[in-house]
Amino acid sequence: MPQDGRSGDSSLLRKLNAAAALDAFLQAESLTPRELRDVVGVSRPTAEELLAGLIAEGRVEETAPPRQLAAVNRGAGRPARHFRFRAESGYVSGIDIGAHKAMAVVTDLRGTALATQRVELDPSLDAPARLRAAVEVTRAAWHEAGLGASEITNAACGVTGALRAGEAARDVRDGPIGSGLAVYSLPGFTDVDVAAELSAGLGVPVAVANDVKLAALAEHWKGAAQGHRDIVYMFAGHRAGAGVLINGHVHQGHHGAAGEIGTWPLLGWEAAVDQLHARGAALADAAGLPSGREGELVIASAALQDPESSRVLIEFAEVLARGAAVLALAVDPEVIVLGGGMSRGGAIIAEPFRRELARLALFPIEVLTSTMGADSVALGAARMALDTVLADLLAVPGS
């Protein structure tokens, strides 16, 4: 017999209703029992049963009514009881392992960041030492948040060269068109199971994904691309890469290589980066500064109207814009987000990028500059881990 407008096996129906109730709490700041009943579409007794079950599981608890409602209802009789999803009923961790740093963030199940830790790394560090540093900095973030491994529900990590979540890192230089690239994967990472090593070191499951794709996810979640669904994220740094989001979800591609535009020889990325490094090295030598900050030095020099630095940056931005145009013609995004270390050059990079993109695109496309900064990969990894946890919580076996 149908129950509450649904039909089918009663056990499955209870599970479907429970998942719908939890989802309702996830979508709202708080709900009254009546609001829960209306959202899920069930009877009053069923709504009370669902609420009791979620409270018993530790996922929901009673809370004070929203402030504006409390003010309106003051003196109006017995107020309705309000309940909220317990964001602290689980925690996730996002990890970023790069050439020069490892960092970690821990969030609750609402995505609120509770702690962030970062450690600087030598670019030549081998894989075991780099992974140990990542484990240590992640545990330091947990410690700062007052959490232990048993309280972390899930984790994810972004690394250079990982093409598909859950698989080993691959180095695209092994292919015919990637042979001329600068260092792509981290030293030794193609020879280790990154996900397994991190999971063993941390004692929690860890998935691994491409860092640029995770940065794109973070930009959609908390950055410049909030409110947009179809996005191309362009990474401007020592390598060219992109993340494509379609309907708010990262597009991996058949081999997990969607967006790897830096491998395309006709783009000219290798030559543009070589020029940038050469100009930065010359500026560093002239100022008696160590290497490693070539991009910053060229940007600073261009800001002082140095013609050679300006020329190098314009060419750099135009090459990146050509890659963005190729992706824009393929996926027709709402916006393009310019991210990565070089995006912090502001208008010096953004304006020639916009001009070249406008010349090549079929339609005007809004270009946004990243607001995430250095935290983008770790936050994107946390979002990936959070999505996995929430999907598991809402899954209904047998449905």
Side-chain angles (χ1 to χ4, degrees):
M1 294 292 292
Q3 298 182 30
D4 298 314
R6 303 174 187 263
S7 62
D9 175 77
S10 61
S11 176
L12 177 58
L13 181 58
R14 283 195 297 271
K15 293 175 184 176
L16 289 168
N17 283 337
L22 180 57
D23 188 49
F25 278 107
L26 286 167
Q27 301 303 321
E29 179 182 349
S30 66
L31 292 172
T32 65
R34 182 185 183 116
E35 289 169 336
L36 177 64
R37 183 184 72 192
D38 292 343
V39 171
V40 180
V42 295
S43 65
R44 178 176 177 178
T46 299
E48 291 174 349
E49 180 183 345
L50 293 171
L51 181 58
L54 290 172
I55 292 172
E57 292 172 8
R59 295 297 180 187
V60 169
E61 69 177 5
E62 189 167 0
T63 186
R67 187 174 301 175
Q68 64 272 25
L69 284 180
V72 170
N73 294 332
R74 189 174 294 120
R78 183 180 179 183
R81 299 172 70 191
H82 285 256
F83 297 83
R84 71 171 187 99
F85 172 70
R86 293 186 65 243
E88 65 275 20
S89 63
Y91 302 91
V92 299
S93 204
I95 309 163
D96 173 14
I97 306 178
H100 297 87
K101 74 174 187 303
M103 68 177 298
V105 60
V106 58
T107 81
D108 62 21
L109 296 188
R110 284 284 192 192
T112 302
L114 305 177
T116 302
Q117 289 283 328
R118 171 180 174 134
V119 62
E120 302 301 318
L121 301 177
D122 185 329
S124 65
L125 202 63
D126 64 20
R130 195 176 297 272
L131 289 169
R132 284 196 299 271
V135 168
E136 289 170 4
V137 79
T138 302
R139 289 190 174 277
W142 298 352
H143 180 75
E144 181 186 345
L147 302 171
S150 63
E151 297 169 281
I152 305 298
T153 311
N154 202 5
C157 176
V159 301
T160 301
L163 298 185
R164 193 189 295 274
E167 293 187 3
R170 300 175 187 173
D171 194 328
V172 294
R173 289 175 300 170
D174 295 338
I177 65 171
S179 59
L181 291 179
V183 172
Y184 183 77
S185 62
L186 298 169
F189 268 46
T190 58
D191 302 320
V192 297
D193 186 333
V194 178
E197 293 291 333
L198 290 174
S199 298
L202 292 170
V204 300
V206 182
V208 177
N210 176 265
D211 54 356
V212 175
K213 291 181 175 64
L214 291 179
L217 188 60
E219 210 65 61
H220 173 257
W221 183 29
K222 292 178 179 283
Q226 291 180 77
H228 299 286
R229 304 294 293 173
D230 298 329
I231 302 155
V232 167
Y233 172 88
M234 300 301 300
F235 178 87
H238 295 294
R239 70 188 197 280
V244 178
L245 270 65
I246 297 176
N247 197 27
H249 299 285
V250 173
H251 178 63
Q252 296 283 1
H254 180 65
H255 298 96
E260 295 295 347
I261 59 168
T263 63
W264 188 36
L266 294 180
L267 184 62
W269 186 254
E270 183 186 1
V273 170
D274 285 347
Q275 285 194 65
L276 178 70
H277 284 174
R279 182 59 187 159
L283 292 169
D285 287 344
L289 297 173
S291 61
R293 298 177 51 204
E294 287 83 358
E296 296 175 33
L297 291 173
V298 178
I299 289 172
S301 177
L304 295 174
Q305 308 300 315
D306 173 61
E308 179 61 15
S309 296
S310 296
R311 182 193 67 79
V312 167
L313 284 180
I314 289 171
E315 184 166 341
F316 180 94
E318 288 178 347
V319 166
L320 192 70
R322 289 169 204 145
V326 171
L327 290 174
L329 290 169
V331 303
D332 191 20
E334 297 173 62
V335 295
I336 291 176
V337 181
L338 190 57
M342 293 300 293
S343 70
R344 293 192 283 273
I348 293 173
I349 297 290
E351 289 311 311
F353 178 91
R354 287 190 175 97
R355 287 196 302 270
E356 184 69 1
L357 179 66
R359 186 179 72 84
L360 298 171
L362 285 178
F363 303 100
I365 305 173
E366 184 179 7
V367 176
L368 307 173
T369 300
S370 169
T371 60
M372 297 302 298
D375 296 349
S376 61
V377 176
L379 280 171
R383 179 72 248 185
M384 177 179 166
L386 181 58
D387 285 344
T388 299
V389 171
L390 296 182
D392 288 345
L393 287 177
L394 297 174
V396 179
S399 64

